[in-house]
C-alpha cells in the first residue's frame, strides 16, 4: 500500500459508536471519565504536557501536583508506604514480578487470576503454581490453598515462591476472596502477597495494610475514571527499595519504571477524577445494594447468578437459560441478543453470547439498571412464543 | 494525611500554565496535538474505550480501524515488516532488548544514546558497551566504532552483543548519524540493529528497510502528535516471531506486550493525527530549512550551534556566551533568561540554563521562530550595558 489521500482517509477523527449507550461491560463502567477528567484531556492532551516543569523525575513534579498525588494522596488511598503511577495494572504486576523474581523462580496465583497476571509472570520468566478454586457455582477460593501451593512449590523446586498473588475481586465472577486470611497464610511462609485490585481500587474501599498485602495494584482506566493506559502500584516499605531501585546510569531514574511511566495526559486525568473517585468509594455500599437488586431482578427471570451470593461487587456472572433457548430457535441464532440490546442502546454483553455472560452495574444507578432489566424482560417476552 | 475535602482540593481539573505559549522544548514540539487528535481525546477518552469491539487482540480491532493502522499503515510508514503500537519509545526498546537478550548478555549503544536506552538495557539485565563519539563541537559518531565495540564485546565476554542501537537523531545535539553504514557494519558481525527514532518517526522521512535496521522505534507523544504515553515498534520478518511471541497461557496474547498496550485514547490520537503526520513528514525539507535559518540568526548574535553543521534536524544545541555573561552580572543570576522568556510567552528552555541549552524549531514556522529570535536579541540588548 502507499500512504496517499485515499488510503489515509479512514484515519483522522473517528466517531465512537458506543458513546452515549448504557454500557454494562465490566471493562467500561469504572473507566467512564468524570467531567473534570474530560476537561483535563483537552488541557493536558499534548504529548509530554506534564514534562514542562519536570526536573528529571516525573513523580517529583510539583506543578501540576503530581508529587503530592503520588507521594501523599495515593499511599493514603491505597493503604501502603510508597506508591507510583504506572501504565496499567499489568505493568504494575510485571514491575513487581520482574523485581522480586529471576527467571526460573516460582509464583503462586489464584485460580481466577486474570490472563495478564499469567502473561506478566511469563514475561518475567517465572513459573506459575495455581491455587485451585472450588468450581461452579461459587468458585470459592480457600485461603489454605495458598499454604498447599507454597509447600508444593518448595518441595518441587527446592525453594519457596518469590511472590503470591490474589485477584481481588476476580474479573470473571466478581468474587471477593478472604485476602486477609490469604495474606496471613502467605506470611507464615514468608512469601509476600500482591493484591491485584484492578476491579477494586477506585470502586470500593481497600487498604493494603489492613489486608496485610505487601503490594497493591490498581487500574486507572478500569476503575479510577482515568483515560488509559494508566495504573497504580503501592508497595510496602520493605520492598520499595527493590521495586523502585534506581538506575546505575541515571541516579534519579527508577529502572522498573524505565525512568518515567504516565508522561502525559493519563496521569492528569487520574488526578482530575481523584476527588470524585474518593467520594464514590465511600458510596460503595450503595453500589453493592444496586448490584444485589439487579441480580435479584435477573434471577426472577430465571437467570442464575454464579459466584458469591449474596454478591458483594458490581461485576457479576449470569447463566441465562431463557436467552440461550431463544438463540437455539431464532434465525440470527446467538447474535439476536446483541442486536436486541443494541436497538435498545445497551452495550457490553459480547456479541454472540447468550447462555453465559458477565456484566457490571457500577455507577449506573437504579434507573439505568432498571432500563437494562426491563429490556431483558422485554426480549424474553418478545420471543416467548417463537 | 486524610483524604478530606481540604486535602483533595488541589486535585480535580488543573489549568495548564504553558498552554498557548510558544514552546521550543524539544520534548514538546512534535507532540502538539492536531485538531483531529484533540477531538478524538474527548470522543475516546473513557477508560478502555477502544475495547468495546475487541475480540481479544487489541491490534486486530477492526472498528475503529486499529487493525489496518497497525498492520497496513504503520509497516508502510516505518518501512518494516511487522509493527505494533506500544506505550512509548522506551517500552518498545525494552521489549526488543528483553526478547533478544538474556541477563548477562551485551548490547552496543552509541555515545549519544538517550538515558532510557540505558535504563531499558539495565532492566533487561544487559551490559552496555558504548561506541564513543568524537566530542565537541561536532559529536561525530564514526560507524566503524560499532565494529570496534562489537569486537571488544566478543573478546571480553566470549560472545557477540545481542543487539546494537543507534539514536537517530540523538536527543542532545540532533545529529543524524550514518545509520545505513552502521547497519552494514553491524550486519558484518551478524548483530541486529535497532534504530531509536524517537526524534525522527513522525517528523522526517525514515525507512528501517532502506537503512537496513532490524528494529525501528518511535515515540507517539514526542513526534507523532499523539497524546501519551504511546509509541511504535517496527520489526523485521526475521525477528518478529521472537519479539511478538505468543503466550503459552493465552494463545492470542503477545508476551512482550503483556497482552495489550495502548488500550484507550492514546492509540486513537495517534490514528487521528496520522494523516497530518504523513503530510508533515513530506514537508521535512522546509523544517530543515527553518532550523538552519534560525540557527544562522542565533549565530549572528554570537551564539554557537554545536553538533552537525549545516544542521539537518530541528533539535539543536547552542552555546550562548551572551546570555551567560548577563547571568554573571544580574541579580536574578541564571534565572533571568527563563523569566525574560516567560514574559514574552516563550517556554522550553529549562529554568536556570543560560550558557548551554537545546531547543527545537519543529512545526513553529518562520513567524514564531522569528519571534523567538527577536526576543533573544531584545534580551541581549536589554542587558547590554549592565
Ligand atoms: C482482574 C484484572 N486484572 C488486571 C487487568 C488488567 O488491567 P490493565 O489494563 O490496567 O493492565 C484486568 C483487565 O481486564 C483485570 O480484569
Ligand atoms: C532520543 C530519545 N529516545 C527515547 C526517548 C523516550 O521516548 P518515550 O517517552 O516515548 O519513551 C526520548 C525522550 O526524551 C529521547 O529523547
Amino acid at each position: 500500500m502507499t500512504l496517499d489521500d485515499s488510503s489515509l482517509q479512514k484515519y483522522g477523527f473517528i466517531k465512537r459508536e458506543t458513546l452515549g449507550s448504557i454500557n454494562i461491560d465490566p471493562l467500561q463502567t469504572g473507566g467512564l471519565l468524570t467531567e473534570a477528567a474530560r476537561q483535563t484531556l483537552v488541557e493536558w492532551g499534548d504529548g509530554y504536557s506534564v514534562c514542562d516543569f519536570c526536573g528529571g523525575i516525573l513523580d517529583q513534579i510539583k506543578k501540576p501536583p503530581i508529587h503530592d498525588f503520588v507521594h501523599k494522596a495515593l499511599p493514603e488511598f491505597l493503604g501502603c508506604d510508597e506508591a507510583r503511577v504506572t501504565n496499567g495494572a499489568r505493568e504494575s504486576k510485571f514491575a513487581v514480578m520482574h523485581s522480586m523474581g529471576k527467571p526460573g523462580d516460582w509464583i503462586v496465583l489464584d485460580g481466577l487470576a486474570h490472563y495478564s497476571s499469567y502473561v506478566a509472570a511469563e514475561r518475567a520468566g517465572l513459573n506459575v503454581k495455581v491455587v485451585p478454586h472450588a468450581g461452579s457455582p461459587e468458585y470459592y477460593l480457600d485461603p489454605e490453598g495458598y499454604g498447599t501451593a507454597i509447600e508444593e512449590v518448595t518441595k518441587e523446586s527446592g525453594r519457596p515462591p518469590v511472590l503470591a498473588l490474589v485477584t481481588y475481586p476476580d474479573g470473571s465472577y466478581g468474587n471477593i476472596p478472604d485476602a486477609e486470611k490469604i495474606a496471613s497464610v502467605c506470611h507464615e511462609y514468608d512469601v509476600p502477597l500482591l493484591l491485584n485490585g484492578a476491579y477494586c481500587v477506585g470502586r470500593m474501599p481497600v487498604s493494603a495494610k489492613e489486608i496485610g498485602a505487601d503490594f497493591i495494584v490498581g487500574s486507572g482506566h478500569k476503575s479510577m475514571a482515568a483515560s488509559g493506559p494508566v495504573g497504580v502500584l503501592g508497595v510496602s516499605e520493605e520492598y520499595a527499595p527493590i521495586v523502585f531501585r534506581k538506575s546505575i546510569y541515571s541516579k534519579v531514574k527508577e529502572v522498573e519504571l524505565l525512568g518515567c511511566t504516565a508522561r502525559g495526559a493519563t496521569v492528569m486525568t487520574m488526578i482530575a477524577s481523584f476527588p470524585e473517585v474518593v467520594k464514590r468509594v465511600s458510596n460503595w455500599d450503595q453500589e453493592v445494594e444496586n448490584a444485589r437488586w439487579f441480580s435479584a431482578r435477573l434471577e426472577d427471570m430465571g437467570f442464575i447468578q454464579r459466584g458469591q451470593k449474596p454478591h458483594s461487587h458490581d461485576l457479576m456472572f449470569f447463566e441465562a437459560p431463557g436467552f440461550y433457548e431463544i438463540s437455539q430457535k431464532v434465525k440470527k441464532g446467538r447474535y439476536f441478543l446483541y442486536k436486541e440490546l443494541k436497538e435498545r442502546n445497551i452495550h457490553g454483553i459480547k456479541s454472540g453470547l447468550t447462555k453465559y455472560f458477565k456484566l457490571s452495574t457500577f455507577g449506573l444507578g437504579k434507573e439505568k439498571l432498571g432500563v437494562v432489566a426491563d429490556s431483558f424482560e422485554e426480549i424474553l417476552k418478545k420471543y416467548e412464543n417463537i
Side-chain angles (χ1 to χ4, degrees), chain A:
Chain A
M1 80 178 296
T2 46
L3 297 173
D4 53 20
D5 283 357
S6 109
S7 72
L8 288 173
Q9 211 179 345
K10 72 169 88 156
Y11 309 117
F13 174 79
I14 294 159
K15 286 276 306 162
R16 182 167 158 220
E17 241 184 56
T18 51
L19 209 62
S21 62
I22 296 183
N23 202 328
I24 54 175
D25 184 339
L27 279 186
Q28 307 285 359
T29 53
L32 267 186
L33 296 187
T34 59
E35 189 48 40
R38 213 171 290 283
Q39 284 174 33
T40 294
L41 269 178
V42 176
E43 188 86 3
W44 295 89
D46 296 317
Y48 280 102
S49 60
V50 299
C51 307
D52 266 337
F53 298 102
C54 182
I57 314 178
L58 177 71
D59 59 71
Q60 296 290 338
I61 294 174
K62 296 257 160 22
K63 197 171 67 170
I66 297 178
H67 172 274
D68 285 0
F69 178 69
V70 172
H71 296 284
K72 294 182 183 170
L74 262 189
E76 178 65 30
F77 187 62
L78 300 170
C80 63
D81 297 316
E82 286 267 0
R84 295 290 184 277
V85 173
T86 67
N87 288 331
R90 68 196 72 199
E91 285 82 357
S92 297
K93 290 184 282 188
F94 177 69
V96 173
M97 292 178 190
H98 188 249
S99 319
M100 295 294 292
K102 47 181 194 321
D105 283 343
W106 284 78
I107 183 181
V108 168
L109 300 183
D110 57 289
L112 295 174
H114 190 246
Y115 86 82
S116 64
S117 300
Y118 285 87
V119 175
E122 184 177 1
R123 191 186 193 193
L126 306 178
N127 298 300
V128 169
K129 171 71 76 181
V130 176
V131 180
H133 55 69
S136 187
E138 265 242 26
Y139 298 89
Y140 171 69
L141 185 70
D142 182 1
E144 298 301 340
Y146 278 81
T148 314
I150 291 169
E151 285 179 16
E152 280 171 15
V153 167
T154 310
K155 204 171 140 196
E156 290 161 22
S157 76
R159 53 189 196 281
V162 292
L163 185 75
L165 178 150
V166 60
T167 316
Y168 185 91
D170 72 280
S172 298
Y173 304 98
N175 280 359
I176 309 218
D178 187 347
E180 220 175 307
K181 187 77 218 293
I182 291 169
S184 88
V185 171
C186 291
H187 289 159
E188 270 173 42
Y189 296 89
D190 279 333
V191 174
L193 180 70
L194 184 153
L195 192 86
N196 176 11
Y199 272 115
C200 82
V201 173
R203 295 167 111 100
M204 55 187 270
V206 65
S207 161
K209 282 201 177 146
E210 278 169 28
I211 285 172
D214 305 271
F215 306 98
I216 181 169
V217 160
S219 174
H221 43 279
K222 175 170 269 163
S223 299
M224 300 176 76
S227 188
V230 63
V232 295
L233 170 59
V235 178
S236 70
E237 214 172 26
E238 182 177 357
Y239 297 108
I242 298 172
V243 179
F244 302 136
R245 69 197 177 281
K246 299 279 202 309
S247 171
I248 53 170
Y249 301 110
S250 303
K251 61 181 189 300
V252 302
K253 304 290 186 179
E254 289 167 348
V255 176
E256 225 32 83
L257 309 182
L258 292 173
C260 324
T261 56
R263 49 208 181 282
T266 56
V267 63
M268 292 307 294
T269 60
M270 183 180 273
I271 290 176
S273 287
F274 188 64
E276 281 184 59
V277 164
V278 169
K279 206 161 124 198
R280 79 189 193 183
V281 163
S282 71
N283 283 329
W284 178 243
D285 287 349
Q286 182 61 52
E287 288 294 338
V288 172
E289 196 189 305
N290 290 358
R292 290 180 182 178
W293 173 83
F294 185 79
S295 177
R297 279 215 51 188
L298 266 56
E299 296 222 314
D300 283 346
M301 300 174 208
F303 294 4
I304 304 134
Q305 187 232 305
R306 298 279 181 89
Q308 284 172 343
K309 259 169 142 172
H311 209 62
S312 305
H313 195 271
D314 58 275
L315 191 161
M316 290 177 287
F317 185 98
F318 288 95
E319 182 178 352
F323 286 157
Y324 180 64
E325 276 164 36
I326 297 172
S327 78
Q328 299 295 87
K329 293 185 208 153
V330 292
K331 262 216 196 117
K332 291 156 293 209
R334 60 202 186 91
Y335 296 100
F336 87 95
L337 181 61
Y338 183 80
K339 205 174 153 269
E340 290 286 353
L341 290 173
K342 192 176 174 182
E343 273 167 21
R344 289 164 176 82
N345 204 25
I346 294 167
H347 189 88
I349 295 181
K350 280 206 191 319
S351 172
L353 298 185
T354 60
K355 191 173 184 181
Y356 302 110
F357 48 80
K358 53 182 184 175
L359 53 75
S360 159
T361 54
F362 189 72
L364 287 160
K366 279 247 175 81
E367 195 181 326
K368 281 187 184 162
L369 290 176
V371 171
V372 177
D374 291 348
S375 299
F376 282 7
E377 246 172 14
E378 251 176 62
I379 296 168
L380 286 173
K381 198 158 274 159
K382 175 170 170 184
Y383 292 94
E384 212 168 26
N385 301 314
I386 216 163

